[in-house]
Amino acid sequence: MFLLSFEPLRPFRRLVPVVLLAALAGACSSGSAPTSYDLSAPTSRIRGAAGVQVLVNEPAALQTLSSQQILVKDASGTVSFLGGAQWADNLPRLIQTRLINTFENSSQLRGVSRPSSGAVADVQLVSELRSFEIATPSNEAVVEISVKIVSDQNGRIVNGRIFRARTPVAALDAPNAARGLDETLSTVMLDIVRWVSGSSLPRREEPGDVSQAPAKEQAPT
């Protein structure tokens, strides 16, 4: 009677960890994926600086802004994130793309691209993303970008300016926050395009463009 084998129980014991892992995996995957929001590139009619080649660099940014999170900042400077929502791409890279699109949509500057394109440029736009958040308790979308125009030939800073804009947000939720920040960024990007288009921009000398000084007349012998 006491020689009965308990071998049939062993397969069940081996299955227990597998069942537990499957249950944990199901619990981890039960949360819904965050909703992604894109940024738009506005269209306007902006004249000036036709024919100049411009490279638009990706904006530099602090770590809190170098992500896909939608930021909320209170009056004390404490930063939090809106849950269940994110930008469609890393924020500085997304802004770089939409700024290039805005130049293409709105200005006479058709030769606009990113440095990785390998294009030869007259100037580069070097920028820093300083603010891109919903400010509370005022519930405003706040965007601030510092931009410098740099000569691509000698690296000299030609001009610099800080662009700011604020837009009221109807409610502190993801759809209203994304809409408010998109509208505010559109205002800032059009201001940047107007400023660059209206600036006196240096042009890279093309081979053969160096002017020849007139030959001196030789004195009669």
Side-chain angles (χ1 to χ4, degrees):
M1 295 294 293
F2 296 97
L3 297 176
L4 293 175
S5 173
F6 289 93
E7 284 299 322
L9 294 178
R10 289 182 181 176
F12 176 75
R13 289 179 187 143
R14 284 198 292 268
L15 286 174
V16 170
V18 178
V19 173
L20 288 175
L21 287 174
L24 289 173
C28 292
S29 62
S30 61
S32 58
T35 303
S36 293
Y37 292 90
D38 203 349
L39 295 168
S40 58
T43 299
S44 186
R45 296 184 64 183
I46 299 172
R47 299 187 179 279
V52 178
Q53 300 285 327
V54 178
L55 296 181
V56 178
N57 288 266
E58 182 178 317
L62 293 175
Q63 186 175 358
T64 51
L65 291 167
S66 296
S67 70
Q68 292 180 254
Q69 303 282 358
I70 300 179
L71 272 63
V72 178
K73 183 182 287 188
D74 65 20
S76 69
T78 301
V79 175
S80 58
F81 307 101
L82 283 179
Q86 64 180 15
W87 297 116
D89 199 349
N90 175 273
L91 184 58
R93 184 165 56 241
L94 183 57
I95 290 176
Q96 176 194 29
T97 299
R98 295 298 173 245
L99 182 55
I100 291 172
N101 297 155
T102 303
F103 272 105
E104 294 169 338
N105 294 346
S106 304
S107 75
Q108 294 177 307
L109 286 163
R110 299 303 178 189
V112 181
S113 60
R114 64 191 76 233
S116 59
S117 67
V120 176
D122 298 301
V123 296
Q124 293 197 35
L125 294 189
V126 178
S127 60
E128 179 186 357
L129 182 60
R130 294 185 169 191
S131 298
F132 201 91
E133 72 252 357
I134 302 299
T136 61
S138 60
N139 284 8
E140 291 179 301
V142 179
V143 175
E144 181 176 316
I145 303 177
S146 169
V147 184
K148 293 179 177 65
I149 302 173
V150 179
S151 170
D152 198 63
Q153 189 167 14
N154 55 29
R156 185 174 63 86
I157 297 175
V158 178
N159 205 347
R161 183 176 164 184
I162 298 173
F163 296 85
R164 304 181 182 93
R166 304 173 77 96
T167 304
V169 174
L172 192 58
D173 56 29
N176 283 287
R179 186 181 305 112
L181 286 166
D182 183 44
E183 292 175 0
T184 311
L185 178 64
S186 291
T187 298
V188 168
M189 290 193 300
L190 284 174
D191 286 345
I192 292 172
V193 173
R194 290 190 188 96
W195 174 66
V196 173
S197 298
S199 298
S200 178
L201 302 178
R203 299 185 184 232
R204 178 184 288 272
E205 291 181 353
E206 297 292 338
D209 281 355
V210 179
S211 58
Q212 297 288 336
K216 293 183 179 180
E217 295 184 359
Q218 290 185 354
T221 56

